[in-house]
Structure formats: C-alpha cells, structure tokens
Amino acid sequence: MSQSVQQSDVVSLARKGNPDAIAELLSRALQGKRVRAKATRREHHLYVLLESSTLPDQAACIRVVQNGMFRLEAQGIQLVTVVGQQIGKQVYGWTHTLKFQPPASPIKTSIRPFQRSKPATSKLKPPEKSRTKSAPALTPTVKSQNVKSQSPTLPSQPIPVTSPSPQPIEAGAAPAAQAPVKVPAKVPPKTTRTIPVKSLIMAGSIGLLLAPLSGWLFAQPQEKVFGFFQQTLPQTLATVPQVAASAWNQGAKAIRVDLPQISWPQSNQNPAQPEGISASQTLKNLNQVSDLALTAIQNPVGPDTRIKLKAVGDIIPGTNYPSNKLHPQKEALFSSVKPILGGSDILFGNFESTLTNYPNSAKNIGRGLVFAFRTPPEYTSILQDAGFNVLSVANNHSFDFFETGFEDTIQNIDKAGMKAVGKRDQIVYTEAKGVKFAFIGFSYFPVHNNMLETEAAQAIVRKANENADVVVISVHAGAEGTAAIHVRDRTEYFYGENRGNTVEFARAMIDAGADLILGHGPHVPRALDLYKGKLIAYSLGNFMGYRTLSAQGQLGYSLVLEADLDPVGNFKGGKIIPVRLTSQGIPYPDDQGRSIGLIRDLTRSDFPKTPLNIDDQGVISVQE
C-alpha cells in the first residue's frame, strides 16, 4: 500500500473490505491499550489477530472490533474471527467470532470521521521489504451471500496475516470432529474494489463474552499511513465440525468455538497443519454461554434501535443563601412540566446550583452580578421525581461553597440514584436499551474538564469512545444574555472571562469521537446544527430559576430538547418541546411555541447550510 495514502483513503479501503485498512483502523482504536491488529480475509470471513506485550483484554477488544465493524459497514464481510495473542507466545490466548448479516432494508449510517488536526510530525516505520509482497490489483464484482446459509469457517492451519449591552443575570467568578474440508490451493490475491458500500450488515454476535456495542476510535492525527502487513490471503481453510454447523443453522447466536492451538507465523514459516476440533469438544464449547451473552440475545441491539434522550438547560430550584428564596412547596416546581419530561430513555439537565449545607461561600456576593446559589440537599427528591438520570455540575456555580459544596452536590445526586458529571478527568457511564452511554462535563474552568484545553479534551473523549457506544458532551460556555443569542465561530468573552469558541470546541469533540453536544450557560436558547451526523445544541437556555434567574423576554424562552439517536450516536430526528418560564422562574408548557420559532430562526441565520429542518410543531428532521 502506498505511503502516500491519506486518512480518507484508509477509511474508503476499509469500507470496501480491505483487511490491511481495517487492521490499521483497529490498531489506532486500540493504541491506548498497546494492542496492534493484523488482518486477513477469505471471501466473507475476516480474521483479525490482536497482539500485545501482555494478553489483550478480550471483553474490551471485542467491544472495539464489534462496534468498529458495525460503523464501518465493510463490504461483503459476514463473519469476523478475532484472536488475542501475547507477543512471543506460540499459541493464541482467546478467540471470539462475530456474526454479521444484511438488514431487511437498507439503513443509512455514517462512520465516525477522523479528527481534524495538524499534520503528523513523525512517521511510522515502513515494513521491511523482505517480509511483504505487493499483490496485483483486481476489480471483480463481489456478491454477498446470506450468512444464515453457511457455516462459520475456522483455519485448519496457521493463517498468514497482514501485519451590545448584555442582559445577564450573573457573572461567574473563577472558582477558588469432522474431517477438514479441502479448498483449492490457489487463492486470488488481495483486491481493490470499486463497488459501492453496502448497507449496514450487523445483526448479532457469537462468543463467550458477547459485549454491547462500543466506540470505534479514529483517534490518531496522522495524515499518512504506513506499515501495513501485506501478505496474501490464507491458502487453506476448514469448516467447523458438523455439530457446530447444525447449531449455527438452528439459530445459536451465542456460542464459543475455540480455534486449535495455532500460531500466526511470518511469511517464511511453514508449520505443520494442526489437528481439528472434536465434536465432543465443540458440544462442550456450545454450552459455555455466559449470562452476559444470554442477556444480549434476549435484548438484542439492532441498527434500527432508537434511544430517546431528552435534555434541558439551567436548573436552580431556589436558594437559601444569603437569604431564603425557596418555594413553600418544592414539589410544585416541576409539576407542570413532568409530563413532557417523561417518555425518554435518558433525561439530562444542567444543575446550576449546589446541594449542600456548607455555611460559607467562596464568592464575594457584595459585588454586582456575582451570585452564590445553595439549595438544600433534600431537593434531590424533586429532581429524581422529575425523572432526571444525569445532571451536569460543571458550571460557574459548582464551587460557590468551595470544594466541600461541590463534593456534597455530587454525593447527594448520586445517593438519590442519579448520576452527577462534572469532575475533572471524569467520565460517567450509563446504559439505555443495551447501549452504553458516556457523559463528560466541560466548562471554561480548570477545576472541570476545560474546554479551552483542546488536546486534553479530545483525549478524554477518545477514552470515553473506547469504552462506550455513545459519547455525550455537556459544556457550560459562551457569553450570557440576549446580546449573546447568536452563535459565532470565535472566542466569546463575558466580563473579561474567556468563555471559549463553542463552534470550534463542539466540532473538535465530534472529530475526536463525541456524538451529541449539549450546551448551556448563555441563559438563552441558541441555534442547533448537525456536524458529521451529530447534533449540536449550542444552548438550551434556562429551564428553572426560582427567584434566581431572570425570565424577561428571550431569557424566559425554554425547551425540552428531544433527540432520537441510533446505537452509535447518529442523530435520526428529534423535537423541540416549547417551555416558558413564569416571572418567578417556574417552567410550564408553552402552547404558543415561542422557543420553536426562535430556535428555527437562529438555526437558519447562524448555520444556513445545516441539513436540519425544524417545522412549526418543533419536529427536527435531517434533509437528505
């Protein structure tokens, strides 16, 4: 493969089923685990060898491979056998086979893009010429077969592998045995195909550790790709014993069939053919089904699965500092909007207060536009009752009562059965419909994950993407007030504070692997945009600010954002559910739909090329 191959070419080759390109992408995805992938292909069966100085972790590696192939839609590949091996060992450590098959109808998905970055300053060492040989390129027409009608094949001998004036409400100060079947000896060389990419091909998986979908990580900022392992396809293959084939045809979806004890040699090795798998051993392996595998079979995650996430903006249910501004009946605060908050798989909000009894504030509230909010810890009950699953505490009020107040807030949220996200270097995981979500909270302060530190921000997103299917970013950023209602691709300042470039940040996070960006902080709704299939909500405005947040004009326009996501985080549609705040900052459904018209106008104005369409009822769709 030419050293001048660009990143986009690698993705294109991988989607056409090129094993070298697939191996390179897998190697990048697993680089953090110090695992290198090699791959070879025989017709519809891809063989992947994962090597590391220690035996690669099976569950983590299978998660990456499975979700990677799910996203990649590699043409014609219906079975993927993954082998884990410790470098220097002559036998494999574990094996796992994944089954893929075409859906009933075409389903469009998008592969996660490479991050935007500067050209790499270092180059990978090209492989030694003596160990590789280029194969002539062919352009055959490949017809896919229905995987249900064939038995998964395993190697019968070692397989060669390819190696104005704002209207703010506050300003935040920085916080203080069957015989092997013979096959022809000659096998066509590797090919370069020009056939269009097929529709999604994932349906289920085979293996002892059947893991849910996980992040496919295109993480490394390299413009050129070298070091592909370029050997020809395996010369011989063997079928599994008839008993395994029978189980396959009868619909067994979670079996483990062990490979013989084989090594993966270099091209100059010619080892003897190993023994096959006995029928009795195969029957034993068929019974080795884990609880995790059974759960996955009973609750399969298909490409047509949709996860409904609802999100709201800033929440302050009242404060008792410096004086009592609490509602006499706290249960009434969410009563009007509870019906529109329900019906989701995940409900998210930005909690812009503290849940603590700590007496001393870190802020000098004697200065103008400086506020400290303290909400009694027992208010967690109304947040829980409203249905919240995840609450961000990464904002300019999280340290209003020093670190003690911050830690109290997180502990009180967690104790109530919800999840708080906002600590620096923290990733919070949750699950919905078998899909694993990662939440990361950002602000413009170094005590949280700092949106101003781009490289560190991308690194934590990549880490989350490696361990979850969908990565959601909560970011508190941008100037405040109606003068800051428009989104601009530039750094925003508010009373001298650098509050970041929200456009640049959101896109950089998606380039690094994020799937959904939820913004808050400006106290007004802002535009929506779609970037590489991922939804960006630049600000969700105020949602509740009982006697704390201004609700004048557009400061009182609010919403519940509904986003329908597929199992890998692509935005498939959604809705703006309009909300209005009373003069005291209590939310209620807005039958006039004011926030719908506002966000639609802002979206058209600020992102005229966006494929998003918002109709009069607030339904958000993606134009083809």
Side-chain angles (χ1 to χ4, degrees):
M1 188 175 293
S2 170
Q3 294 182 357
S4 64
V5 174
Q6 299 295 313
Q7 292 176 345
S8 59
D9 297 327
V10 177
V11 176
S12 177
L13 287 171
R15 298 189 75 172
K16 293 175 182 177
N18 183 288
D20 288 341
I22 293 173
E24 180 64 22
L25 295 179
L26 286 173
S27 294
R28 296 185 194 183
L30 293 165
Q31 187 178 42
K33 300 182 182 298
R34 301 184 183 276
V35 174
R36 181 69 188 178
K38 304 177 182 179
T40 188
R41 177 178 175 180
R42 174 62 183 243
E43 296 179 349
H44 304 297
H45 201 151
L46 180 73
Y47 296 90
V48 177
L49 173 66
L50 302 179
E51 292 183 310
S52 184
S53 57
T54 59
L55 183 64
D57 180 83
Q58 182 176 3
C61 289
I62 293 303
R63 176 179 288 278
V64 172
V65 174
Q66 179 167 311
N67 200 37
M69 297 303 295
F70 174 75
R71 293 175 183 276
L72 198 59
E73 306 174 21
Q75 186 172 1
I77 294 177
Q78 298 179 352
L79 292 171
V80 179
T81 294
V82 187
V83 174
Q85 185 176 27
Q86 183 177 352
I87 294 174
K89 298 290 185 180
Q90 297 301 311
V91 295
Y92 69 92
W94 52 262
T95 177
H96 186 115
T97 298
L98 303 172
K99 172 187 174 184
F100 299 82
Q101 63 186 135
S105 59
I107 298 174
K108 293 186 178 180
T109 62
S110 62
I111 185 169
R112 193 183 303 285
F114 288 93
Q115 69 179 62
R116 295 183 301 166
S117 62
K118 296 178 180 179
T121 55
S122 61
K123 296 183 178 181
L124 298 176
K125 215 171 183 181
E128 297 178 11
K129 292 182 180 179
S130 61
R131 295 174 59 182
T132 60
K133 228 176 203 182
S134 299
L138 300 177
T139 56
T141 301
V142 179
K143 295 182 179 179
S144 64
Q145 299 176 0
N146 191 330
V147 72
K148 289 184 178 180
S149 64
Q150 66 181 58
S151 300
T153 56
L154 298 176
S156 62
Q157 67 179 26
I159 302 174
V161 292
T162 60
S163 64
S165 182
Q167 300 179 24
I169 63 100
E170 48 86 13
Q178 296 290 328
V181 176
K182 294 182 180 180
V183 297
K186 293 184 179 181
V187 181
K190 292 185 298 182
T191 62
T192 301
R193 301 177 180 85
T194 57
I195 305 169
V197 178
K198 284 188 176 181
S199 301
L200 183 68
I201 58 172
M202 179 172 184
S205 67
I206 307 171
L208 177 61
L209 288 172
L210 182 61
L213 297 177
S214 177
W216 173 267
L217 186 65
F218 298 124
Q220 301 307 309
Q222 303 171 8
E223 285 195 334
K224 296 182 180 181
V225 181
F226 320 111
F228 284 132
F229 299 89
Q230 297 180 352
Q231 294 184 357
T232 59
L233 293 171
Q235 297 290 314
T236 60
L237 295 170
T239 60
V240 290
Q242 188 63 38
V243 62
S246 175
W248 174 277
N249 292 328
Q250 291 173 16
K253 296 182 180 179
I255 61 173
R256 174 177 177 173
V257 180
D258 285 333
L259 288 169
Q261 294 294 318
I262 61 171
S263 62
W264 295 68
Q266 300 297 333
S267 57
N268 58 356
Q269 293 179 315
N270 187 26
Q273 180 175 334
E275 295 180 2
I277 310 172
S278 68
S280 60
Q281 181 64 37
T282 301
L283 283 172
K284 179 181 178 182
N285 290 332
L286 290 175
N287 292 324
Q288 296 177 343
V289 181
S290 67
D291 292 337
L292 179 60
L294 290 172
T295 300
I297 294 169
Q298 294 164 2
N299 302 282
V301 179
D304 57 342
T305 297
R306 295 291 176 264
I307 302 93
K308 188 182 298 298
L309 183 146
K310 289 186 177 181
V312 301
D314 304 337
I315 302 170
I316 306 176
T319 182
N320 59 11
Y321 184 91
S323 60
N324 188 355
K325 292 183 179 181
L326 297 174
H327 198 285
Q329 293 180 314
K330 65 179 184 293
E331 293 78 12
L333 290 171
F334 286 105
S335 61
S336 295
V337 291
K338 278 182 65 176
I340 61 175
L341 291 174
S344 66
D345 299 302
I346 297 176
L347 179 61
F348 166 88
N350 174 48
F351 187 75
E352 198 165 1
S353 182
T354 57
L355 291 163
T356 184
N357 290 318
Y358 192 76
N360 303 317
S361 175
K363 290 182 175 178
N364 179 7
I365 62 172
R367 295 188 298 129
L369 296 176
V370 176
F371 301 85
F373 301 133
R374 186 181 65 188
T375 305
E378 56 266 26
Y379 271 59
T380 54
S381 63
I382 65 170
L383 294 165
Q384 182 186 35
D385 186 58
F388 286 98
N389 306 107
V390 182
L391 292 169
S392 174
V393 293
N395 52 62
N396 57 333
H397 289 286
S398 62
F399 279 78
D400 280 3
F401 291 84
F402 297 97
E403 187 173 358
T404 299
F406 181 62
E407 294 292 341
D408 285 350
T409 302
I410 292 174
Q411 290 177 15
N412 285 315
I413 290 173
D414 290 345
K415 285 179 182 178
M418 299 171 288
K419 294 180 182 293
V421 58
K423 285 186 177 181
R424 187 175 178 89
D425 300 324
Q426 180 193 35
I427 305 171
V428 169
Y429 296 98
T430 189
E431 189 171 305
K433 293 183 177 178
V435 177
K436 191 173 182 181
F437 279 72
F439 282 81
I440 311 174
F442 285 88
S443 77
Y444 43 87
F445 293 129
V447 290
H448 307 127
N449 294 303
N450 194 342
M451 68 170 296
L452 305 179
E453 301 172 3
T454 303
E455 291 185 4
Q458 289 180 321
I460 194 171
V461 169
R462 295 186 191 112
K463 180 180 178 181
N465 198 20
E466 188 174 348
N467 296 290
D469 310 311
V470 180
V471 179
V472 181
I473 301 298
S474 164
V475 56
H476 197 82
E480 298 182 16
T482 54
I485 201 166
H486 286 281
V487 179
R488 297 287 183 261
D489 188 3
R490 64 190 181 203
T491 301
E492 298 183 53
Y493 293 88
F494 188 69
Y495 281 84
E497 266 181 343
N498 182 344
R499 296 199 173 185
N501 182 325
T502 57
V503 175
E504 184 179 75
F505 171 79
R507 294 179 178 181
M509 295 306 98
I510 291 173
D511 288 340
D515 299 291
L516 175 64
I517 312 294
L518 301 173
H520 39 83
H523 297 293
V524 287
R526 282 184 167 187
L528 304 176
D529 192 20
L530 195 71
Y531 178 70
K532 298 182 178 179
K534 313 299 182 180
L535 182 67
I536 305 172
Y538 281 98
S539 176
L540 298 173
N542 297 326
F543 188 70
M544 177 181 291
Y546 181 70
R547 298 180 65 186
T548 54
L549 299 179
S550 172
Q552 292 184 358
Q554 294 163 333
L555 292 165
Y557 287 20
S558 185
L559 69 146
V560 177
L561 176 67
E562 181 180 296
D564 293 335
L565 308 175
D566 70 10
V568 292
N570 295 310
F571 178 71
K572 312 307 291 186
K575 190 174 184 179
I576 296 169
I577 304 174
V579 172
R580 186 75 167 92
L581 302 187
T582 69
S583 60
Q584 289 191 317
I586 299 175
Y588 66 92
D590 182 15
D591 55 9
Q592 296 185 37
R594 281 165 281 207
S595 57
I596 295 174
L598 175 63
I599 296 173
R600 179 173 56 194
D601 292 344
L602 291 171
T603 300
R604 290 171 177 172
S605 170
D606 297 351
F607 300 98
K609 296 182 180 180
T610 186
L612 293 178
N613 180 69
I614 304 172
D615 70 13
D616 293 339
Q617 303 303 312
V619 176
I620 311 168
S621 57
V622 181
Q623 297 175 339
E624 296 295 336

